[in-house]
Amino acid sequence: MNLKLQTIIQKLEKKFPRKIDLTLERQLKILKKLGNPQDKLEQVISVVGTNSKFSIIYTIFSILKESGHKCNLFVSPHVQSYSERFIFNNEEIDEESLVDLLEDIEKIVGEDSCTLFEALTCAHLKFAENYSNNISIYEAGMFHFADSTNVFKKNIANILGTFSLDHVQWLKNKTIDGVIFEKTAKLLNSKIFLNKQENNEIFKKVEKALLKNKSEKYFFGRDFNILKAENNFIKYQDEFGEIILPKPKKVLGDHQLYNISTSIVACRKLFNIKDKDIKTAISQLKIKARLEEIHSGKLKDLVGKNRLIIDSGHNVGAGLVIADWIKSQQADVQIICGMMQDKSHREFINLFKDIVKSITLIDIPNQTGSITKENFKNKLNGINKEIYLSNSIQESIKSVSQNENSICLIVGSIYLAGEVLNLN
């Protein structure tokens, strides 16, 4: 990371003693100092959910760019650099400009308190004011009810990804019902697009939670759908008609088809995008650290003819779709995993123990909040699978690469995925 960027990030981290604090008072106070830039953005899309938000955002972004629209994006967390969170006018901000922006925000905050995430959100909103006519897409943080992105008086759409258990230590109601409430209770009245869910029970719970919301609602499987077709094509359907699309070569996993379908219906319904632009955008789609295959680089060289794939999935919901993808492969899968301390370690690994050839645990470099590989292994005591430990990303890849016709799959954390990409 740029030294100046690292310095200003550290300064902002000291503005509040807790990394996460789910209230809006500090955020609204800072935004008032900034002239309430959130009220000046004309086309806001809010993306909410436990999983699939990032994939949906980047699919929408790809379609809108192809059709000539200009976008501002705010996503979190980043994979490799903080600048990834700040996209304006279709371009990622450079680190020097980001430093200047964050230094301005730090001065505005002054002696007031704010979390780092609140400061980053305020910084994005203020700079997006320069491109207020653009389509501004904001990814909610852990939840939505008291999230720092939930500061708009109006938007054009709420896009809901998948809902599952994650970050429940922050909730009084630590069930899926508590998660759904936090993510749906304060959605604005505009249009709502609901992605496919893990199961019908969750779908019904979300549908019930949305009953009092007066938005126009569009649900996967009811108002739009997507299916595999012959010859590596996919068939999308909604009220506007059918589109036959090439399956994107750089996007792995059937779950991404559902994310693509939700993105398409939102773009067609909100912006009347032409079919040809949708086809071109989907054919070129690439989603970072989401079952992303690495085709070249230092770490790829270590696996030889084997495949190297990374995924930032770190909860049970993400683990389920990764497990489904593993089951569809015609090769042995060797998992390398590192996770943060506050995750459901045993439940996550349990999804893979019977379908992979090996499981290797590692520490996530440069992350004080990660679980050590030794403690991780202790949490897996009793799982009927031999668990290996490795001292580094490189060492773990070398170890599993001794197998032929294998897939080396690195999972468990977006921070681990970022370290892999940085090393490669």
Side-chain angles (χ1 to χ4, degrees):
M1 189 194 305
N2 178 303
L3 182 58
K4 289 182 179 179
L5 181 55
Q6 185 176 2
T7 300
I8 187 59
I9 292 292
Q10 289 171 346
K11 280 186 179 181
L12 291 169
E13 285 176 328
K14 294 175 182 177
K15 291 288 183 183
F16 195 73
R18 298 175 63 185
K19 184 177 181 180
I20 298 169
D21 188 66
L22 299 176
T23 58
L24 283 171
E25 288 80 6
R26 293 180 304 276
Q27 177 85 355
L28 294 172
K29 186 176 181 180
I30 298 166
L31 288 172
K32 186 175 181 180
K33 284 185 175 183
L34 293 169
N36 288 316
Q38 75 278 12
D39 296 339
K40 299 168 187 176
L41 305 186
E42 297 183 4
Q43 300 186 86
V44 173
I45 297 174
S46 301
V47 184
V48 181
T50 308
N51 295 315
S52 73
K53 293 178 292 184
F54 187 92
S55 295
I56 288 172
I57 287 171
Y58 268 88
T59 304
I60 290 174
F61 184 35
S62 179
I63 293 170
L64 292 177
K65 280 195 302 180
E66 186 62 34
S67 61
H69 287 83
K70 296 290 187 180
C71 300
N72 310 318
L73 266 63
F74 180 68
V75 298
S76 64
H78 59 275
V79 181
Q80 292 177 272
S81 170
Y82 275 93
S83 59
E84 295 171 25
R85 305 185 187 213
F86 293 81
I87 292 178
F88 304 102
N89 223 30
N90 292 354
E91 298 291 336
E92 182 178 317
I93 196 170
D94 65 85
E95 288 195 342
E96 289 297 328
S97 297
L98 180 55
V99 169
D100 292 340
L101 175 59
L102 294 180
E103 285 179 343
D104 288 343
I105 294 298
E106 196 261 343
K107 290 174 185 175
I108 292 292
V109 172
E111 298 301 315
D112 290 337
S113 296
C114 72
T115 66
L116 174 61
F117 187 65
E118 289 164 354
L120 296 174
T121 309
C122 287
H124 193 284
L125 290 165
K126 184 59 180 175
F127 203 79
E129 188 180 351
N130 297 315
Y131 308 99
S132 60
N133 294 326
N134 288 359
I135 300 161
S136 296
I137 308 174
Y138 283 84
E139 177 182 355
M142 292 193 307
F143 301 110
H144 181 257
F145 193 93
D147 184 77
S148 65
T149 62
N150 186 22
V151 292
F152 300 103
K153 294 178 180 177
K154 59 183 177 67
N155 66 10
I156 60 173
N158 305 290
I159 301 179
L160 307 185
T162 54
F163 292 72
S164 61
L165 294 175
D166 198 13
H167 305 296
V168 293
Q169 68 272 27
W170 298 99
L171 300 180
K172 288 182 179 180
N173 182 352
K174 302 182 188 303
T175 68
I176 191 65
D177 299 276
V179 172
I180 291 170
F181 174 81
E182 290 289 332
K183 294 180 184 295
T184 61
K186 287 181 66 175
L187 295 176
L188 296 170
N189 291 333
S190 54
K191 289 181 171 64
I192 292 177
F193 302 91
L194 178 63
N195 197 21
K196 186 180 188 299
Q197 300 300 305
E198 288 177 19
N199 54 56
N200 192 53
E201 181 183 1
I202 293 177
F203 183 92
K204 291 295 184 184
K205 286 178 180 288
V206 177
E207 183 180 29
K208 183 178 179 181
L210 295 173
L211 281 176
K212 293 181 180 180
N213 190 299
K214 303 301 182 184
S215 299
E216 295 178 29
K217 304 179 186 78
Y218 305 90
F219 294 162
F220 177 88
R222 184 180 304 168
D223 301 295
F224 61 98
N225 209 337
I226 197 164
L227 302 164
K228 286 184 178 179
E230 295 179 353
N231 300 320
N232 217 28
F233 282 83
I234 51 180
K235 182 166 66 173
Y236 170 83
Q237 300 166 319
D238 65 20
E239 65 176 291
F240 297 111
E242 182 178 283
I243 313 176
I244 302 298
L245 300 162
K247 189 174 180 181
K249 295 179 181 179
K250 294 182 180 179
V251 177
L252 307 177
D254 287 349
H255 65 289
Q256 293 290 10
L257 300 184
Y258 310 132
N259 301 334
I260 287 170
S261 71
T262 305
S263 305
I264 292 174
V265 71
C267 287
R268 288 183 112 184
K269 195 69 183 177
L270 296 170
F271 306 108
N272 194 28
I273 305 297
K274 295 178 181 177
D275 289 2
K276 68 178 183 63
D277 292 330
I278 293 173
K279 289 180 181 179
T280 302
I282 298 305
S283 68
Q284 298 173 351
L285 186 62
K286 179 180 178 181
I287 305 173
K288 195 172 189 178
R290 274 69 180 176
L291 284 176
E292 178 185 356
E293 182 159 6
I294 297 175
H295 294 281
S296 62
K298 295 177 182 178
L299 298 185
K300 170 58 181 171
D301 292 342
L302 294 179
V303 299
K305 294 182 179 180
N306 296 317
R307 297 172 70 189
L308 177 61
I309 295 172
I310 59 172
D311 192 278
S312 58
H314 54 264
N315 55 43
V316 172
L320 285 167
V321 296
I322 296 170
D324 284 343
W325 178 80
I326 290 172
K327 292 172 188 175
S328 70
Q329 301 309 298
Q330 303 300 313
D332 290 335
V333 175
Q334 323 270 347
I335 275 189
I336 297 170
C337 184
M339 300 183 77
M340 301 300 283
Q341 292 179 15
D342 61 347
K343 301 303 174 183
S344 300
H345 310 97
R346 187 180 183 88
E347 292 83 351
F348 186 76
I349 292 296
N350 204 48
L351 296 168
F352 310 119
K353 66 182 179 66
D354 297 325
I355 59 174
V356 298
K357 187 74 172 178
S358 69
I359 298 173
T360 301
L361 306 180
I362 60 173
D363 298 338
I364 303 176
N366 307 311
Q367 288 297 326
T368 56
S370 66
I371 187 170
T372 66
K373 56 184 179 292
E374 293 82 8
N375 288 341
F376 197 164
K377 185 175 182 180
N378 289 337
K379 284 199 169 189
L380 304 181
N381 185 38
I383 283 186
N384 186 27
K385 185 79 177 181
E386 188 168 2
I387 306 294
Y388 303 97
L389 302 183
S390 185
N391 293 318
S392 69
I393 292 170
Q394 296 95 323
E395 180 184 285
S396 62
I397 292 174
K398 283 182 183 178
S399 176
V400 303
S401 68
Q402 296 173 10
N403 301 274
E404 295 183 357
N405 188 32
S406 288
I407 298 170
C408 177
L409 175 60
I410 303 178
V411 297
S413 172
I414 196 166
Y415 302 107
L416 178 58
E419 291 292 338
V420 171
L421 291 173
N422 288 335
L423 284 170
N424 193 59

